[in-house]
Amino acid sequence: MKYIVAGHVAVTATEFVELALGTPLDLWLGVEGESEVERAARMDAARDILADCPELPDRVSRVAAEAIEAFAPELFNVIPLSRPVGRRERSRKGAAA
């Protein structure tokens, strides 16, 4: 199956994500063995990108959700748990009495 993002063919899952986000994953995740200076520079670049593109976190969330839906849809099959009565509910009942 071919994945085409913005006119580019993504060969790997990493390429697909990088093309969809418009930034390399290493910018956000770092690389093994990076120095403190390299980390600081990477974090500065990330802050600049987020300042210039405040909608990026929403785009990241959307890409992640679409990837999960496409490749692991069973992760969306959740069963809601019944909600136990917590301290807050008990304290309200006590205050009303």
Side-chain angles (χ1 to χ4, degrees), residues 2-23 59 63 66 71:
K2 268 188 177 178
Y3 296 104
I4 300 175
V5 179
H8 299 279
V9 177
V11 178
T12 67
T14 299
E15 287 179 357
F16 173 79
V17 172
E18 288 177 350
L19 287 169
L21 299 178
T23 62
R59 194 164 62 186
V63 168
E66 289 171 359
F71 299 107

Side-chain angles (χ1 to χ4, degrees), residues 8-40:
H8 299 279
V9 177
V11 178
T12 67
T14 299
E15 287 179 357
F16 173 79
V17 172
E18 288 177 350
L19 287 169
L21 299 178
T23 62
L25 287 178
D26 289 348
L27 175 68
W28 308 104
L29 304 177
V31 292
E32 191 173 332
E34 73 182 353
S35 70
E36 286 299 315
V37 172
E38 291 168 327
R39 182 179 189 281

Side-chain angles (χ1 to χ4, degrees), residues 61-83:
S61 298
R62 190 171 39 259
V63 168
E66 289 171 359
I68 291 169
E69 188 175 47
F71 299 107
E74 69 278 1
L75 294 177
F76 282 128
N77 295 335
V78 295
I79 300 170
L81 300 175
S82 61
R83 191 171 175 186

